[in-house]
Amino acid sequence: QVQLVESGGGLVQAGGSLRLSCAASGRSFSVYAVGWFRQAPGKEREFVAFNPRSSSSTYYADSVKGRFTTSRDNAKNTVYLQMNSLKPDDTAVYYCAASAGGGSSYRESSYAYWGQGTQVTVSS
């Protein structure tokens, strides 16, 4: 079992950058794949990025590809989401989630553990 806490959200102007952190406790991130999701007001939660637990490739939604990068530091039990060239449409609550394996990376049901979310607001 693992507990996740997101941080790093805030208010930023369009074109700016933020780095979100997802810190784990209970178990090491080394045994989990981590997904990033976001939910805008009045909309369903959507997949953003996938951080693998091994040497497999990261994966990104088309809407953020080329702008967002996910990485991890297993020694610090932390996964990051670097967000560059932010747009107003990126405004949402961002969540990290952990999976011990199996399932599709872009499906919420693949992840057993979720953080509380952190708000990202991008002004125009």
Side-chain angles (χ1 to χ4, degrees), residues 97-119:
S99 171
S104 299
S105 62
Y106 54 88
R107 293 287 187 179
E108 294 181 41
S109 60
S110 299
Y111 300 89
Y113 308 103
W114 291 79
Q116 84 289 348
T118 185
Q119 176 71 48

Side-chain angles (χ1 to χ4, degrees), residues 12-104:
V12 65
Q13 290 184 317
S17 298
L18 286 172
R19 189 178 76 164
L20 305 184
S21 298
C22 177
S25 62
R27 293 289 301 277
S28 172
F29 259 142
S30 64
V31 301
Y32 295 102
V34 175
W36 289 94
F37 293 79
R38 67 186 183 187
Q39 187 168 22
K43 298 183 179 180
E44 295 184 353
R45 191 153 52 187
E46 64 175 346
F47 170 79
V48 175
F50 174 72
N51 187 290
R53 61 182 175 181
S54 64
S55 59
S56 57
S57 298
T58 55
Y59 180 79
Y60 302 92
D62 288 342
S63 59
V64 306
K65 191 176 299 182
R67 300 187 296 119
F68 290 11
T69 302
T70 183
S71 61
R72 69 167 63 202
D73 186 340
N74 284 330
K76 297 181 179 180
N77 271 346
T78 302
V79 170
Y80 304 97
L81 183 67
Q82 178 67 46
M83 306 185 296
N84 298 325
S85 301
L86 283 162
K87 305 174 181 179
D89 285 349
D90 295 320
T91 296
V93 176
Y94 283 72
Y95 300 87
C96 64
S99 171
S104 299

